[in-house]
PDB file of all heavy atoms in Angstrom:
ATOM      1  N   GLN A  93      95.875  82.356 126.174  1.00 95.00           N
ATOM      2  CA  GLN A  93      95.226  81.269 126.918  1.00 95.00           C
ATOM      3  C   GLN A  93      95.553  81.358 128.402  1.00 95.00           C
ATOM      4  O   GLN A  93      94.671  81.218 129.244  1.00 95.00           O
ATOM      5  CB  GLN A  93      95.639  79.914 126.343  1.00 95.00           C
ATOM      6  CG  GLN A  93      95.028  79.639 124.987  1.00 95.00           C
ATOM      7  CD  GLN A  93      95.633  78.424 124.285  1.00 95.00           C
ATOM      8  OE1 GLN A  93      96.702  77.948 124.650  1.00 95.00           O
ATOM      9  NE2 GLN A  93      94.945  77.942 123.265  1.00 95.00           N
ATOM     10  N   LYS A  94      96.817  81.634 128.736  1.00 95.00           N
ATOM     11  CA  LYS A  94      97.223  81.785 130.136  1.00 95.00           C
ATOM     12  C   LYS A  94      96.505  82.952 130.801  1.00 95.00           C
ATOM     13  O   LYS A  94      96.174  82.900 131.979  1.00 95.00           O
ATOM     14  CB  LYS A  94      98.732  82.016 130.246  1.00 95.00           C
ATOM     15  CG  LYS A  94      99.569  80.771 130.274  1.00 95.00           C
ATOM     16  CD  LYS A  94     101.020  81.139 130.557  1.00 95.00           C
ATOM     17  CE  LYS A  94     101.910  79.944 130.463  1.00 95.00           C
ATOM     18  NZ  LYS A  94     103.325  80.290 130.606  1.00 95.00           N
ATOM     19  N   ALA A  95      96.291  84.029 130.045  1.00 92.00           N
ATOM     20  CA  ALA A  95      95.649  85.238 130.575  1.00 92.00           C
ATOM     21  C   ALA A  95      94.117  85.160 130.502  1.00 92.00           C
ATOM     22  O   ALA A  95      93.438  86.095 130.897  1.00 92.00           O
ATOM     23  CB  ALA A  95      96.138  86.464 129.815  1.00 92.00           C
ATOM     24  N   HIS A  96      93.597  84.051 129.957  1.00 93.00           N
ATOM     25  CA  HIS A  96      92.143  83.861 129.783  1.00 93.00           C
ATOM     26  C   HIS A  96      91.525  84.972 128.930  1.00 93.00           C
ATOM     27  O   HIS A  96      90.480  85.516 129.265  1.00 93.00           O
ATOM     28  CB  HIS A  96      91.427  83.753 131.140  1.00 93.00           C
ATOM     29  CG  HIS A  96      91.999  82.679 132.011  1.00 93.00           C
ATOM     30  ND1 HIS A  96      91.836  81.337 131.740  1.00 93.00           N
ATOM     31  CD2 HIS A  96      92.765  82.751 133.129  1.00 93.00           C
ATOM     32  CE1 HIS A  96      92.470  80.628 132.658  1.00 93.00           C
ATOM     33  NE2 HIS A  96      93.046  81.451 133.503  1.00 93.00           N
ATOM     34  N   GLU A  97      92.226  85.312 127.849  1.00 90.00           N
ATOM     35  CA  GLU A  97      91.748  86.317 126.899  1.00 90.00           C
ATOM     36  C   GLU A  97      91.674  85.699 125.515  1.00 90.00           C
ATOM     37  O   GLU A  97      92.323  84.690 125.236  1.00 90.00           O
ATOM     38  CB  GLU A  97      92.689  87.523 126.851  1.00 90.00           C
ATOM     39  CG  GLU A  97      92.615  88.391 128.066  1.00 90.00           C
ATOM     40  CD  GLU A  97      93.380  89.691 127.900  1.00 90.00           C
ATOM     41  OE1 GLU A  97      94.319  89.747 127.093  1.00 90.00           O
ATOM     42  OE2 GLU A  97      93.032  90.635 128.597  1.00 90.00           O
ATOM     43  N   SER A  98      90.943  86.348 124.649  1.00 87.00           N
ATOM     44  CA  SER A  98      90.891  85.860 123.268  1.00 87.00           C
ATOM     45  C   SER A  98      92.213  86.183 122.577  1.00 87.00           C
ATOM     46  O   SER A  98      92.908  87.136 122.940  1.00 87.00           O
ATOM     47  CB  SER A  98      89.739  86.512 122.505  1.00 87.00           C
ATOM     48  OG  SER A  98      90.059  87.849 122.177  1.00 87.00           O
ATOM     49  N   MET A  99      92.537  85.386 121.593  1.00 86.00           N
ATOM     50  CA  MET A  99      93.741  85.599 120.784  1.00 86.00           C
ATOM     51  C   MET A  99      93.709  86.993 120.167  1.00 86.00           C
ATOM     52  O   MET A  99      94.716  87.702 120.147  1.00 86.00           O
ATOM     53  CB  MET A  99      93.793  84.510 119.702  1.00 86.00           C
ATOM     54  CG  MET A  99      94.716  84.769 118.551  1.00 86.00           C
ATOM     55  SD  MET A  99      96.437  84.604 118.988  1.00 86.00           S
ATOM     56  CE  MET A  99      97.195  84.735 117.387  1.00 86.00           C
ATOM     57  N   GLU A 100      92.548  87.416 119.649  1.00 84.00           N
ATOM     58  CA  GLU A 100      92.434  88.713 118.968  1.00 84.00           C
ATOM     59  C   GLU A 100      92.763  89.863 119.913  1.00 84.00           C
ATOM     60  O   GLU A 100      93.504  90.771 119.555  1.00 84.00           O
ATOM     61  CB  GLU A 100      91.042  88.919 118.365  1.00 84.00           C
ATOM     62  CG  GLU A 100      90.774  88.080 117.152  1.00 84.00           C
ATOM     63  CD  GLU A 100      90.100  86.752 117.472  1.00 84.00           C
ATOM     64  OE1 GLU A 100      89.861  86.454 118.675  1.00 84.00           O
ATOM     65  OE2 GLU A 100      89.816  85.997 116.528  1.00 84.00           O
ATOM     66  N   ILE A 101      92.191  89.836 121.120  1.00 87.00           N
ATOM     67  CA  ILE A 101      92.435  90.936 122.064  1.00 87.00           C
ATOM     68  C   ILE A 101      93.895  90.953 122.491  1.00 87.00           C
ATOM     69  O   ILE A 101      94.522  92.009 122.543  1.00 87.00           O
ATOM     70  CB  ILE A 101      91.482  90.857 123.279  1.00 87.00           C
ATOM     71  CG1 ILE A 101      90.073  91.250 122.833  1.00 87.00           C
ATOM     72  CG2 ILE A 101      91.966  91.755 124.415  1.00 87.00           C
ATOM     73  CD1 ILE A 101      89.021  91.172 123.907  1.00 87.00           C
ATOM     74  N   PHE A 102      94.457  89.795 122.751  1.00 90.00           N
ATOM     75  CA  PHE A 102      95.861  89.740 123.175  1.00 90.00           C
ATOM     76  C   PHE A 102      96.779  90.195 122.036  1.00 90.00           C
ATOM     77  O   PHE A 102      97.766  90.896 122.275  1.00 90.00           O
ATOM     78  CB  PHE A 102      96.228  88.334 123.647  1.00 90.00           C
ATOM     79  CG  PHE A 102      97.271  88.338 124.713  1.00 90.00           C
ATOM     80  CD1 PHE A 102      96.954  88.639 126.027  1.00 90.00           C
ATOM     81  CD2 PHE A 102      98.591  88.050 124.408  1.00 90.00           C
ATOM     82  CE1 PHE A 102      97.929  88.663 127.017  1.00 90.00           C
ATOM     83  CE2 PHE A 102      99.570  88.063 125.385  1.00 90.00           C
ATOM     84  CZ  PHE A 102      99.242  88.373 126.693  1.00 90.00           C
ATOM     85  N   LEU A 103      96.445  89.830 120.813  1.00 89.00           N
ATOM     86  CA  LEU A 103      97.218  90.269 119.648  1.00 89.00           C
ATOM     87  C   LEU A 103      97.168  91.785 119.522  1.00 89.00           C
ATOM     88  O   LEU A 103      98.196  92.430 119.291  1.00 89.00           O
ATOM     89  CB  LEU A 103      96.689  89.598 118.375  1.00 89.00           C
ATOM     90  CG  LEU A 103      97.385  89.953 117.066  1.00 89.00           C
ATOM     91  CD1 LEU A 103      98.862  89.576 117.108  1.00 89.00           C
ATOM     92  CD2 LEU A 103      96.691  89.243 115.911  1.00 89.00           C
ATOM     93  N   VAL A 104      95.985  92.366 119.686  1.00 88.00           N
ATOM     94  CA  VAL A 104      95.835  93.826 119.645  1.00 88.00           C
ATOM     95  C   VAL A 104      96.728  94.467 120.712  1.00 88.00           C
ATOM     96  O   VAL A 104      97.429  95.442 120.447  1.00 88.00           O
ATOM     97  CB  VAL A 104      94.354  94.227 119.835  1.00 88.00           C
ATOM     98  CG1 VAL A 104      94.211  95.692 120.214  1.00 88.00           C
ATOM     99  CG2 VAL A 104      93.560  93.915 118.574  1.00 88.00           C
TER     100      VAL A 104
END
Side-chain angles (χ1 to χ4, degrees):
Q93 289 169 344
K94 274 187 186 175
H96 305 289
E97 288 189 335
S98 75
M99 163 73 172
E100 288 93 358
I101 288 178
F102 211 78
L103 180 60
V104 163

